[in-house]
Amino acid sequence: MLLHLIEPAAWRAALDTGVVEPPSLAGAGFVHLSTPDQVHLPARRLYGDRRDVVVLVVDPARLTDPVRWEPGVPGDPSAMRFPHLFGPLPTAAVVGVVPWLRGRPLALPDPGDAAARARALAVSVATRRAAQLRPVPGGLVVSEPAFPHSRDDNRVLVTGAVTAAAVAELTAAAATDAAWPAQAATLLHPAAGPVAQELARRGWDVSPTVAMARRAPFPERPPGSVEAVPQERVHEFWAQSWRRELAGADPPLAEVVAQLVGREHRTDRVVQVTDLVVRESGRVVAAAQLRVDGATAAVDSVLTDPAARRRGHADALLTAALHRAGRAGCDLVVLDAAAEDWPRQWYARRGFDVVGRSWEAVRA
């Protein structure tokens, strides 16, 4: 695999155009790439200890322009050759986007490993969206003081093999430092099952989640009943859904719902977001969100108003999302489903396979 360092804003802009065209392409005629063993050299030279830089994981088989191995810049080892791409870098050749944190090993997903790509997307979106990011042993702490009731934005991402005691200690410290309303951790390591079981025995609320994936080809035509809308058009529909789900919540429901809806606009700053809806009599009765991040896309927030169910709206939304992912050059669409709830079987009947598992652990 080949790697390219980039600032998140530049990557987000590239998702709209379909290509990465850094200044070097116009100035020198090529895009600088690196191997995993080389990437620390340009990273140190260009970005130092910054925590907001990401690494694009490029599948060379998806490149159409030539790659030539040439010397680097003065100061690089004289015998070392770097891969230079003589043409723009297609976003559809990027199979993963991972945070660059100096001194931390890179978790680089293989193009054929759907589980690793789903895991990389989950970590990457959370870290790029975070107002505050802090590496800790075995994981990362993400925080967003503006939305304290959003556990998606205030949690420990456990990516390494650590014990239940370590997870509890890390999460307690992070919750205290950031004044979280609850301790929250997402266990993303593939072998974290026993850790999740131990946390449950210690009194944590643990919810297993399966990562599901479907590969291309995707539907060639979208259903006519689905339309893409500005995200504000979905806000009230989301708010109604949250009010039903969180009835009786403490603290006040209105405060929690406002934060859960208000947080969502930030996702489009780091990945390409399309909000899809179905209307009846002009009113939104079903919605879904597609998030495109290079060659990998995620489907999220598939919801139907209880009064409008069993009319095929969810099927139409999923088909439209898959169609758009294919048009964007994605070869893989992923989603998360509760391991013990019926939507898992619904997605399986529509071509999604279980490729991985994670656990959400919360302690008040």
Side-chain angles (χ1 to χ4, degrees):
M1 290 180 289
L2 302 178
L3 309 179
H4 178 71
L5 291 155
I6 193 169
E7 295 179 342
W11 171 240
R12 177 62 188 86
L15 289 170
D16 285 338
T17 63
V19 290
V20 176
E21 296 181 297
S24 67
L25 184 60
F30 58 79
V31 178
H32 288 275
L33 302 175
S34 304
T35 68
D37 292 335
Q38 297 170 329
V39 70
H40 66 283
L41 295 171
R44 185 180 303 158
R45 180 171 61 249
L46 297 172
Y47 300 111
D49 291 326
R50 283 177 57 176
R51 295 179 178 177
D52 62 336
V53 177
V54 295
V55 176
L56 306 183
V57 184
V58 180
D59 180 3
R62 306 180 190 214
L63 299 176
T64 55
D65 288 306
V67 175
R68 299 171 189 159
W69 295 78
E70 300 178 326
V73 300
D76 289 335
S78 59
M80 184 176 286
R81 297 293 182 266
F82 288 82
H84 292 160
L85 172 63
F86 282 79
L89 171 59
T91 57
V94 176
V95 298
V97 182
V98 300
W100 169 258
L101 298 169
R102 188 171 176 177
R104 296 289 291 260
L106 290 169
L108 304 176
D110 185 91
D113 190 338
R117 288 173 64 177
R119 190 161 53 248
L121 181 61
V123 172
S124 185
V125 170
T127 55
R128 280 182 276 163
R129 201 169 83 160
Q132 300 171 4
L133 173 64
R134 179 164 57 90
V136 293
L140 300 161
V141 177
V142 293
S143 294
E144 174 50 88
F147 302 99
H149 294 296
S150 171
R151 290 177 189 157
D152 279 355
D153 296 291
N154 298 278
R155 55 181 167 149
V156 178
L157 301 170
V158 183
T159 56
V162 297
T163 65
V167 173
E169 183 178 350
L170 286 171
T171 309
T176 299
D177 291 344
W180 295 346
Q183 300 176 37
T186 302
L187 310 181
L188 290 159
H189 192 274
V195 176
Q197 294 173 1
E198 177 60 25
L199 288 173
R201 285 192 288 268
R202 294 180 176 215
W204 288 63
D205 182 8
V206 177
S207 303
T209 298
V210 291
M212 305 186 75
R214 174 172 163 174
R215 290 192 175 274
F218 301 127
E220 295 184 1
R221 295 182 181 179
S225 59
V226 176
E227 58 183 306
V229 298
Q231 191 173 97
E232 312 85 70
R233 302 281 181 87
V234 198
H235 282 181
E236 179 53 32
F237 179 71
W238 284 344
Q240 292 172 0
S241 177
W242 281 119
R243 285 193 286 267
R244 287 193 298 268
E245 184 172 338
L246 301 175
D250 184 29
L253 181 61
E255 177 185 348
V256 176
V257 170
Q259 289 189 21
L260 295 179
V261 173
R263 67 185 179 179
E264 285 301 327
H265 73 280
R266 297 169 303 121
T267 306
D268 190 56
R269 297 178 185 175
V270 296
V271 296
Q272 187 183 62
V273 171
T274 303
D275 287 289
L276 302 168
V277 302
V278 175
R279 302 180 200 249
E280 291 182 356
S281 302
R283 185 175 67 90
V284 174
V285 296
Q289 187 175 91
L290 177 70
R291 302 173 177 181
V292 172
D293 201 29
T296 311
V299 173
D300 197 70
S301 303
V302 180
L303 300 167
T304 302
D305 187 292
R309 289 176 181 165
R310 299 186 180 279
R311 298 176 190 172
H313 295 331
D315 261 316
L317 288 164
L318 184 59
T319 300
L322 292 170
H323 167 75
R324 283 178 169 267
R327 286 181 56 194
C330 300
D331 71 317
L332 184 71
V333 175
V334 300
L335 56 85
D336 286 333
E340 299 168 355
D341 205 355
W342 66 265
R344 171 181 174 176
Q345 286 73 38
W346 188 86
Y347 286 115
R349 292 193 296 272
R350 284 149 184 83
F352 283 81
D353 297 318
V354 174
V355 296
R357 187 175 289 261
S358 62
W359 296 263
E360 301 293 333
V362 179
R363 189 170 193 175

